[in-house]
Amino acid sequence: MSMQYALAGIMTMISDNLQAVQARIARACAACGRLPGEVRLLAVSKSFGTQAVLEAARAGQRAFGENYIQEAVEKIAALAGPDAPPLQWHCIGPIQSNKTQLVARHFHWAQTIDRAKIAQRLNDQRPQDLAPLNVCIQVNADGGPTKSGVSPEDAVALALFVAKLPRLRLRGVMSIPDPQPDFEAQCAAHRRVREVFDAIAARLPSGHGEFDTLSLGMTADLEAAIHAGSTMVRVGSGIFGARQYAAPAP
Ligand SMILES: *Cc1c(COP(=O)(O)O)cnc(C)c1O
């Protein structure tokens, strides 16, 4: 097969996969009486190149998630420019202090806020000519000590701190629950995150603005996440295919 045909095949695949994922979202919404418009799709493009992102963008996808800051910044730069489609970039990987400046400058969203120090740095480093950075609190609802994310007990206090930072806009909660063997167990794990979201919503000052994002669910468990109230599913392999790389250091 020529290079050109091979590439054309990949492109059809991405646009077909996007349609299939949108159909899964629509079916999952219908199954629990929600409207498909209530759930946004974040395309997780980590490990895939600019060509794959562009193809998804041509198929109408606008929001992309990346885990590794350096990889993401290179992609964002390569895909910027006057003729480029207006893409929205979400940081969904761990953020170390020495990477906050890159996140503050290049992303529209940071979903992995799990401590006050990182939130404060993002706030202080967000350029004045950009809109406030949309952020989510990352919650570790399974309690595994090695996982990123704030505990459910500490999530409300962190959220109230973040809500006061003028250059950040607290939009919701994100989580990566441990894999579960079946739908019921997936739903239960997702509901624990939903409860944290509701607890924060109940404590935010009136006039906070949009607190509308429950970022939950990936390729394997998006139906259960939608059942539990997810408003944003993060799908990588379901759109772009299996990832091939050993992850670089964050
Ligand atoms: C990689 C990743 C995803 C996408 O996972 P898939 O199983 O490929 O859909 C979603 N969220 C986060 C935080 C990820 O790191």
Side-chain angles (χ1 to χ4, degrees), residues 135 137 155-165 169-173 196-213:
V135 300
I137 304 293
V156 173
L158 177 60
L160 293 177
F161 172 81
V162 172
K164 291 201 191 100
L165 297 172
R169 189 176 283 154
L170 177 65
R171 296 292 296 270
V173 165
V196 176
F197 176 90
D198 290 342
I200 294 171
R203 294 284 304 280
L204 285 174
S206 59
H208 169 75
E210 289 171 306
F211 185 76
D212 55 0
T213 303

Side-chain angles (χ1 to χ4, degrees), residues 44 46 67 92-93 174 176 217-220 234-238 241 243:
V44 178
K46 63 178 176 218
N67 290 61
I92 58 170
M174 97 61 110
I176 316 168
M218 319 202 294
T219 299
R234 309 178 307 264
V235 177
S237 48
R243 284 179 293 275

